[in-house]
Amino acid sequence: MVNVLGVVLFALLIGVSIALHEFGHLLTAKAFGMKVTRYFIGFGPKIWSFRKGETEYGLKAIPAGGFCEITGMTALEEVHPDDAPRAFYRQKTWKRVVVLSAGSITHFIVGFVVLYAMAATMGLPNLKNEPVIAAVSDCVQSGPATAACTSGAPAPAKAAGIQPGDQIVAVAGQATPTWTELLKKTQERGGSTEFTVLRDGTEMKVTMDVPRVTREVTKADGTKESREVGAIGVQWQNNFDYNVLTAFGGATAFTGDMFVNTWHGLLKFPEKIPAVIKAIGGGERDLESPVSVVGASRLGGDAAEQGLWQFFLLMLAGLNFFVGVFNLLPLLPLDGGHIAVNLYERVRDWLRRLRGKPAGGPVNYMRLLPLTYFFIFIGGGITLLTVTADIVNPIRLP
């Protein structure tokens, strides 16, 4: 039951994000004096609506997006003479660009608000796997790391003055940009070893006598075995805690990381499609393959069922960043495609003025229709593939 509620909640929050996206267009268009005739969530048959002023607001039967209808989006549209001064295409270029980008900006704001709420209440995960120390052990010995210390057991990190919040950035002169690298390089060591520690922005070098102890380690194939490894007695900071004031800085930095990850994900997106097709045919589903709203909602249900609310919210924020960035790609019919056309007209007219020529006419969108239909076809095909994969072979949380 909790799983179902989680699915519904996540789908509902996606719907809210879509509504806010369109509201961003609506708000900016009205602020600039443009005429907005309709604001609807969904497509297809109308379920319910009401009119306030010159704008009709409502819901439609198919919850697969929404739209904000602004008078005179292109010069090809017939506009009543009384509305001509308020037509979209008659406005200054910067105003048009602001209105077109407002939907994506709204997604970015929603994503940031979600991250801020996470930071202030439950903290933010160590997404980059940074080798930050959460705690220093009182000893290092064979067996479970949580076992009680025996008399005389060494405590290398404690003896070297390592403190929570320190970041160990190198072992024996070899960089350790991640906790995984730090763990690997430490386990390979034994005896006197130099560690480079970053504390409050300042690097310092400490030497520790690394003991060899017997620990259970996980091999590459996922199996476990007991092995003699080097250890210094530190625990990983897998979550960063903030208060309501410091949460702003934490959420800002985390937002930057998510933008980078989103861009890398977009660049790798095309090469992930074959994995989706393979999954539909019964192959193992790649955990990094694209998911649709259906798949994301199912993962949201799994997260709710297991009490993984941090993962639930992180996925919601990530989805908003992804949609926001994707929507700005210079491809029609995305908002980014319309922005590109408007900027092209601006640059073209500037160049024409330099040559003593009058401004050119508006871009003929009819000539761009074949390209637009091509991208719609590709986008529809990818959506169909991901939805199918998410139904017949979904990604699930263990």
Side-chain angles (χ1 to χ4, degrees), residues 162-216:
I162 301 298
Q163 301 175 7
D166 286 351
Q167 188 170 337
I168 300 179
V169 296
V171 176
Q174 296 180 314
T176 54
T178 66
W179 172 259
T180 304
E181 283 294 315
L182 172 62
L183 197 62
K184 177 184 176 183
K185 285 181 169 52
T186 301
Q187 290 178 345
E188 294 171 349
R189 306 300 300 182
S192 181
T193 304
E194 183 183 76
F195 290 78
T196 304
V197 180
L198 185 64
R199 178 182 297 168
D200 298 328
T202 303
E203 280 194 2
M204 52 186 281
K205 297 184 185 298
V206 298
T207 300
M208 303 186 210
D209 189 11
V210 181
R212 303 288 293 178
V213 296
T214 301
R215 290 282 172 83
E216 188 178 69

Side-chain angles (χ1 to χ4, degrees), residues 116 119-121 123 240-250:
Y116 175 81
T121 58
F240 297 109
D241 296 321
Y242 305 91
N243 57 41
V244 292
L245 296 179
T246 59
F248 185 84

